[in-house]
Amino acid sequence: MQKRMKKETTLHFSKDLLFGIGNAFLLSIFTLIILYPIYYMFIVSISGSSNVIRGEVSWYPINLNWDSYRAIFKNQNLGRSYLNTIFYTIAGTSISVSMSALCAYPLSRRNFYGRNLFTFLVVFTMLFDAGMIPKFLVVNALHLRNTIWAILVPSAINVYYMIMIRTFFQGIPEEMVESAKIDGAGEGKIFTRIVLPLSKPVLASVTLFYAVGQWNGYLSPLLYLDDKKLYPLQLILRNIVISNEMATMSSDITSMHISTVNIKYAVIFVSILPILCVYPFVQKYFNKGVMVGAIKG
Amino acid sequence: MQSKVMWLKMKKSKELYLLFLLPFLYFIIFKYGAMFWMIVAFEDYDATKGVFASQWVGLKWFKAFLREPYFLTLIKNTLLMNIWELLFFFPAPIVLALMINEVRNNKFRRFVQTVSYLPYFFSVVVICGLIVNLCATDGLINQVISAFGLQKISFLNRPEWFRPIYILSDIWQKAGWASIIYLAALSGVDRQLYEAAIMDGASRWKQILHISIPGISSVISIQFLLALGEILSIGYEKILLLYNGNTMSTADVISTYVYRRGIISADFSYGTAVNIFQAIIGLATIVLANKAARKAEAASLW
């Protein structure tokens, strides 16, 4: 009897071990599938154009050179759009985070008269989306088209992120707020001196989400901007990578013998570089923030 | 009397109202303002006359859209794209979360998580740029195909390849990120259940089937409801970047059609009518799905 049980557990043990190995193997393949295109893009961008065209580059760069990056950095449209995007990201994120926190704080307070009504008004906009054309008409009517405000303001508050912040605010002990009130602090002071400093984790993750959203923003500029001087990186990126508009770089392409494939991959790589650089550092941080929102929300 | 009490309560909240002022104006102007602009769907909107002086035409544009010969193709493409999403994309993060949850080595686990979240932070233009170049006739995928001696495929010009490319790239980009919520739910499942199962000699496979999956079923059903609510609003940014004349027959969806009619041809009334159609269907599906979930006593949104 005992012998049989032992045999069964060892059988299970080896089966479970096999399960673990198979699982780890499949997950390794999955990570490879994710990482390889990013790596491939990079090695193509720094390889010799003829090697790329002949399809020789697959695991490591061949005839390593940085010509395509040189050609990109000379391109004025791209440089300007890069600066524009940096501006949109900083300004847009600041506006979005402050507006979301300002919205979340009153909605988190139980003594806010009309809280349920306002919460409903806000959440309803999440369920019933007016759609592309009405939004466009609003921006048009306010004369925001072809201004930076069209990028910064119309989608300033993301209701989902706002609720994440509100949920976090609600978790702050009521006693802290009450004692501050007894000390004579007004709501504004409680908000800036107590609630905000205590909410750094959630504010950090929401900041990151808004920043990534602005950095990657494509639809608002596509709809609201016609002036090329205001174009963010993503629109120029689309023109080069998907619509093949490389007229401004054609002289460099012929003189340096770079293929358009080199240029395309180099442009993509330059556009994701900031994300690749920041990502390892913030990764842990936003992970926590998402968990907070996910579990409670 | 009652209004006096109300007034007093409001006065007490006055500082909070002040803080709430800007966000409130934002919602009124941009969200409810957009809802106000929906009335152009019922008129022959003429920008020179303005929204108040334009001719009222009732349901003309709605009828025009419903009678459009192209209407059925658009509905079919939109629904099929979403059904493909529900069938193939929706389970991916669940499977991934269950797999990551089974990893015992913390370092490897963190590595897989870190890598799988990464593509979520790439823009839709970057993703489409990668797709266009990798799927090109001289791109990486076709190089592999021809290395096996097979015929090259012009993926982006073949309508039958549009949906697979769309869904597979979605899985590549978003499955990792979407798995976070399931991983969070899995970490909340009672450890004792697993210990008891191990005592009973249940294999790890059995533990997944009988403990892990039931443990996160409420989260799964909530996510499913949210996905259902979007059934008529597919992420059209990606389609706008990927489709072309050759793939229109499977790629063109309601939103891309609205973009072409409403923005490119400046047909605002027609475009808004289609937007309203979408918004109503979206709201109705989410309400109905929620009702069904409550009836089945599964987890619901409200």
Side-chain angles (χ1 to χ4, degrees), chain A residues 40 265, chain B residues 132-144 152:
Chain A
Y40 174 79
Y265 280 132
Chain B
V132 168
N133 285 296
L134 294 178
C135 295
T137 38
D138 55 356
L140 181 68
I141 294 174
N142 271 315
Q143 283 172 21
V144 175
K152 286 186 175 183

Side-chain angles (χ1 to χ4, degrees), chain B residues 256-272:
Chain B
T256 47
Y257 181 68
V258 172
Y259 175 76
R260 288 200 311 278
R261 281 295 290 262
I263 303 288
I264 303 289
S265 326
D267 210 343
F268 297 126
S269 291
Y270 189 92
T272 306

Side-chain angles (χ1 to χ4, degrees), chain A residues 12 113 121 133 216 234 279, chain B residues 6 17 32 114 121 123 201 275:
Chain A
H12 263 305
Y113 188 69
L121 280 178
I133 311 298
N216 291 337
Q234 301 299 333
Y279 182 71
Chain B
M6 206 171 110
Y17 284 119
Y32 288 92
T114 307
F121 294 94
S123 76
N275 273 155

Side-chain angles (χ1 to χ4, degrees), chain A residues 48-57 258-262, chain B residues 138 143:
Chain A
S49 57
S50 46
N51 306 88
V52 171
I53 291 166
R54 281 200 298 272
E56 292 166 358
V57 181
I258 330 168
S259 78
T260 54
V261 180
N262 286 62
Chain B
D138 55 356
Q143 283 172 21

Side-chain angles (χ1 to χ4, degrees), chain A residues 291 295, chain B residues 179-190 215-216 218-219:
Chain A
M291 298 292 190
I295 293 168
Chain B
S179 73
I180 292 182
I181 191 158
Y182 300 110
L183 277 169
L186 280 168
S187 70
V189 176
D190 193 353
I216 59 171
S218 62
V219 177

Side-chain angles (χ1 to χ4, degrees), chain A:
Chain A
M1 180 69 189
Q2 218 171 17
K3 219 177 179 179
R4 218 184 98 199
M5 239 177 94
K6 203 179 166 195
K7 202 178 159 196
E8 238 171 36
T9 44
T10 46
L11 195 74
H12 263 305
F13 181 71
S14 61
K15 243 187 172 173
D16 283 353
L17 193 71
L18 209 67
F19 177 94
I21 293 170
N23 188 38
F25 177 72
L26 289 176
L27 283 174
S28 306
I29 290 182
F30 180 68
T31 53
L32 262 181
I33 291 174
I34 288 186
L35 289 178
Y36 182 70
I38 304 167
Y39 174 73
Y40 174 79
M41 179 168 74
F42 180 63
I43 58 171
V44 165
S45 73
I46 55 173
S47 290
S49 57
S50 46
N51 306 88
V52 171
I53 291 166
R54 281 200 298 272
E56 292 166 358
V57 181
S58 45
W59 300 109
Y60 47 85
I62 300 172
N63 282 330
L64 188 129
N65 69 81
W66 299 90
D67 288 347
S68 44
Y69 288 90
R70 239 170 265 147
I72 288 175
F73 284 120
K74 276 208 254 163
N75 184 298
Q76 278 187 348
N77 281 337
L78 199 71
R80 189 175 47 216
S81 74
Y82 215 87
L83 291 178
N84 284 344
T85 289
I86 292 175
F87 170 76
Y88 292 140
T89 303
I90 294 173
T93 307
S94 316
I95 293 175
S96 292
V97 174
S98 7
M99 288 284 280
S100 305
L102 273 176
C103 182
Y105 179 67
L107 295 182
S108 75
R109 306 281 300 143
R110 232 169 284 154
N111 60 343
F112 180 44
Y113 188 69
R115 184 170 89 146
N116 290 339
L117 174 72
F118 290 124
T119 307
F120 176 78
L121 280 178
V122 168
V123 172
F124 183 71
T125 63
M126 206 161 51
L127 296 175
F128 188 78
D129 183 43
M132 184 195 318
I133 311 298
K135 283 181 205 162
F136 175 87
L137 291 170
V138 170
V139 172
N140 190 41
L142 295 169
H143 299 289
L144 295 181
R145 274 181 68 206
N146 281 319
T147 70
I148 55 168
W149 303 107
I151 306 301
L152 303 177
V153 179
S155 44
I157 300 181
N158 177 319
V159 177
Y160 183 76
Y161 299 157
M162 191 282 291
I163 290 174
M164 262 173 75
I165 303 178
R166 192 203 61 174
T167 310
F168 195 94
F169 286 173
Q170 281 171 337
I172 293 171
E174 195 70 21
E175 301 91 68
M176 296 188 78
V177 176
E178 287 306 318
S179 66
K181 259 190 186 163
I182 291 164
D183 292 343
E187 291 288 354
K189 224 173 196 172
I190 295 173
F191 175 56
T192 53
R193 297 278 169 80
I194 296 174
V195 173
L196 283 184
L198 284 173
S199 309
K200 273 182 202 145
V202 74
L203 292 176
S205 27
V206 167
T207 303
L208 182 84
F209 292 147
Y210 278 128
V212 171
Q214 277 291 353
W215 186 270
N216 291 337
Y218 164 69
L219 205 59
S220 298
L222 179 74
L223 294 178
Y224 305 138
L225 298 181
D226 300 318
D227 183 355
K228 276 211 162 138
K229 286 205 177 84
L230 296 175
Y231 272 14
L233 181 61
Q234 301 299 333
L235 280 187
I236 301 289
L237 190 65
R238 181 208 53 180
N239 290 349
I240 295 176
V241 176
I242 294 173
S243 318
N244 274 315
E245 285 172 27
M246 282 189 249
T248 48
M249 282 189 279
S250 57
S251 62
D252 280 331
I253 290 173
T254 44
S255 69
M256 294 204 251
H257 303 288
I258 330 168
S259 78
T260 54
V261 180
N262 286 62
I263 295 276
K264 285 180 181 178
Y265 280 132
V267 175
I268 297 180
F269 197 76
V270 165
S271 84
I272 61 171
L273 196 61
I275 288 174
L276 290 178
C277 290
V278 179
Y279 182 71
F281 301 103
V282 290
Q283 190 261 124
K284 262 186 247 163
Y285 217 21
F286 67 66
N287 225 338
K288 265 186 232 151
V290 169
M291 298 292 190
V292 170
I295 293 168
K296 292 182 183 163

